[in-house]
């Protein structure tokens, strides 16, 4: 009896595994086609300076418009793109498009903005990574200091010597470097002090329960003050309420980013936001 049940269970699991791998294969081939068929586009989310109240820059966020499935979030396909290596051509497209867009805004008369681009682990390990960055800058004509690369703790902590070497080369190009989702990885600011980074982005998980959670408030204050004492620009991610923004301003956080100030929007939305914000 038990043996029978075991067999059935095995068959059940194996069918589930099979349909999972079928789903994966389907996703993989449509992801492959998506690059060729230009189904990707970018949204941009503004960052606000809490002291000057100026918009300092935007972050490019990848979107996939799938012909049948509709809009797919990057959290649903970045993993597969990394496993299959498709992240490399996709990331080249993101970099190039983000830089071109930033220059188009400037040509349209908007003030110079910093463009932040998310970098994946696979891309950071790729031997052409530095060339891809220089080529996006060269082709678009965007000044290097207007590009900020968002890296994560694990990318730079796992192979510190190699990472520091690459970060130094990137700094030589003149780009800005940020640590994204700070506080969720295993690194500490003590470790990061040897890295040539410019910006620390405090992860949304610390912000979301402010002002109710005292521990999160304590942690956020500590990250802001340590980050600032290391000379870094500190940005809080995922700011959704006025109370959170007030807390951050009172605790000398430099910038905020989140639904409270602006959701990620398409390029026309950024132009409108900048024009109305200046007025
Ligand atoms: P991330 O870089 O930490 O980006 C912030 C994410 O939080 C974005 O989700 C953004 O839409 C969302 N967000 C912003 N403000 C708020 C808020 O106030 N509340 C809440 N609940 N969420 C907020 P999105 O666009 O789905 O991107 C998710 C992640 O996918 C990004 O996290 C980043 O790690 C990755 N990603 C996005 N675009 C790219 C890309 O071009 N290349 C790579 N390698 N990764 C990307
Ligand atoms: Mg980011
Ligand atoms: Mg983040
Ligand atoms: Mg995050």
């Amino acid at each position: 009896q038990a043996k029978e049940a075991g067999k059935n269970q095995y068959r059940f699991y194996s069918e589930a595994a099979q349909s999972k791998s079928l789903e994966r294969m389907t996703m993989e081939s449509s992801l492959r086609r998506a690059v060729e068929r230009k189904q990707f586009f970018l949204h941009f989310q503004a960052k606000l300076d809490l002291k000057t109240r100026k918009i300092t820059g935007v972050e490019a966020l990848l979107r996939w418009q799938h012909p049948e499935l509709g809009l797919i979030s990057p959290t649903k396909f970045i993993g597969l793109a990394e496993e299959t290596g498709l992240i490399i051509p996709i990331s080249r497209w993101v970099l190039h498009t983000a830089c071109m867009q930033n220059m188009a805004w400037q040509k349209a008369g908007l003030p110079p903005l910093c463009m932040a681009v998310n970098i994946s682990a696979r891309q950071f390990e790729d031997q052409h990574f530095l060339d891809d960055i220089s080529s996006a800058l060269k082709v678009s004509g965007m000044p290097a200091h207007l590009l900020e690369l968002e890296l994560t703790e694990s990318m730079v902590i796992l192979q510190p010597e190699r990472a520091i070497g690459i970060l130094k080369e990137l700094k030589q190009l003149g780009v800005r470097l940020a640590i994204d989702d700070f506080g969720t990885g295993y690194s500490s600011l003590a470790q990061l002090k040897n890295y040539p980074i410019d910006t620390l982005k405090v992860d949304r998980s610390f912000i979301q329960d402010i002002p109710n959670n005292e521990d999160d408030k304590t942690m956020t204050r500590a990250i802001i003050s340590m980050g600032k004492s290391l000379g870094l620009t500190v940005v809080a991610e995922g700011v959704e309420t006025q109370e959170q923004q007030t807390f951050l301003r009172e605790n000398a956080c430099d910038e905020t980013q989140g639904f409270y100030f602006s959701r990620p929007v398409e390029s026309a939305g950024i132009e409108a936001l900048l024009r109305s914000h200046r007025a």
Side-chain angles (χ1 to χ4, degrees):
Q1 187 82 46
K3 213 172 168 188
E4 260 323 279
K7 230 185 205 164
N8 281 339
Q9 221 162 42
Y10 173 75
R11 198 165 65 209
F12 174 76
Y13 283 135
S14 125
E15 271 168 17
Q18 229 170 43
S19 82
K20 191 130 200 216
S21 80
L22 190 68
E23 191 185 308
R24 198 195 123 100
M25 271 162 57
T26 312
M27 272 299 266
E28 186 178 332
S29 58
S30 53
L31 194 57
R32 210 172 283 282
R33 277 198 306 272
V35 182
E36 296 153 13
R37 298 186 183 175
K38 306 193 175 13
Q39 291 167 0
F40 293 115
F41 66 100
L42 296 178
H43 269 170
F44 303 92
Q45 189 179 28
K47 278 186 271 183
L48 181 73
D49 186 312
L50 285 170
K51 226 185 218 158
T52 64
R53 302 209 166 248
K54 278 189 181 141
I55 294 170
T56 53
V58 299
E59 174 178 2
L61 294 161
L62 183 59
R63 300 289 180 258
W64 179 12
Q65 186 66 51
H66 189 285
E68 286 102 38
L69 302 174
L71 196 64
I72 307 181
S73 141
T75 53
K76 300 252 166 63
F77 66 86
I78 293 283
L80 184 61
E82 289 219 327
E83 286 166 38
T84 54
L86 285 166
I87 194 72
I88 300 297
I90 295 173
S91 302
R92 279 199 193 109
W93 179 87
V94 170
L95 257 172
H96 180 84
T97 309
C99 294
M100 294 296 283
Q101 179 61 66
N102 203 24
M103 290 313 282
W105 284 325
Q106 263 193 55
K107 280 167 198 153
L110 297 181
L113 289 172
C114 182
M115 174 62 73
V117 175
N118 291 285
I119 301 300
S120 86
R122 179 90 180 241
Q123 195 183 1
F124 191 69
E125 285 157 16
D126 188 74
Q127 53 170 341
H128 303 295
F129 179 50
L130 284 161
D131 292 338
D132 289 345
I133 303 290
S134 340
S135 133
L137 291 170
K138 202 169 160 197
V139 171
S140 63
M142 188 172 97
H145 72 271
L146 293 182
L147 180 62
E148 182 163 83
L149 305 178
E150 295 195 0
L151 313 162
T152 57
E153 291 163 78
S154 56
M155 284 162 62
V156 297
I157 288 299
L158 291 178
Q159 291 179 278
E161 286 88 29
R162 186 185 168 274
I164 290 177
I166 296 173
L167 298 183
K168 283 186 175 155
E169 288 190 75
L170 289 166
K171 284 312 296 175
Q172 250 153 34
L173 286 179
V175 304
R176 294 176 56 88
L177 302 173
I179 299 293
D180 202 354
D181 306 334
F182 183 77
T184 57
Y186 297 99
S187 69
S188 64
L189 278 168
Q191 280 171 290
L192 286 178
K193 78 174 195 299
N194 302 316
Y195 290 70
I197 54 173
D198 304 283
T199 304
L200 207 59
K201 297 189 78 175
V202 184
D203 191 68
R204 176 159 68 87
S205 57
F206 293 101
I207 310 299
Q208 64 190 3
D209 296 328
I210 290 177
N212 300 324
N213 188 312
E214 287 303 323
D215 292 341
D216 287 344
K217 281 160 71 175
T218 305
M219 284 296 294
T220 302
R221 275 192 206 102
I223 297 174
I224 295 169
S225 91
M226 283 200 282
K228 294 199 67 166
S229 63
L230 289 173
L232 305 175
T233 300
V234 181
V235 181
E237 293 190 296
V239 179
E240 294 185 351
T241 67
Q242 187 179 356
E243 288 95 324
Q244 289 166 353
Q245 183 149 309
T246 304
F247 172 85
L248 292 160
R249 193 178 45 243
E250 284 171 351
N251 287 281
C253 186
D254 297 301
E255 298 178 15
T256 63
Q257 189 180 25
F259 295 171
Y260 177 64
F261 178 64
S262 174
R263 288 194 173 248
V265 292
E266 53 192 54
S267 59
I270 290 293
E271 283 197 50
L273 179 70
L274 274 150
R275 293 192 198 284
S276 69
H277 192 74
R278 264 198 301 179

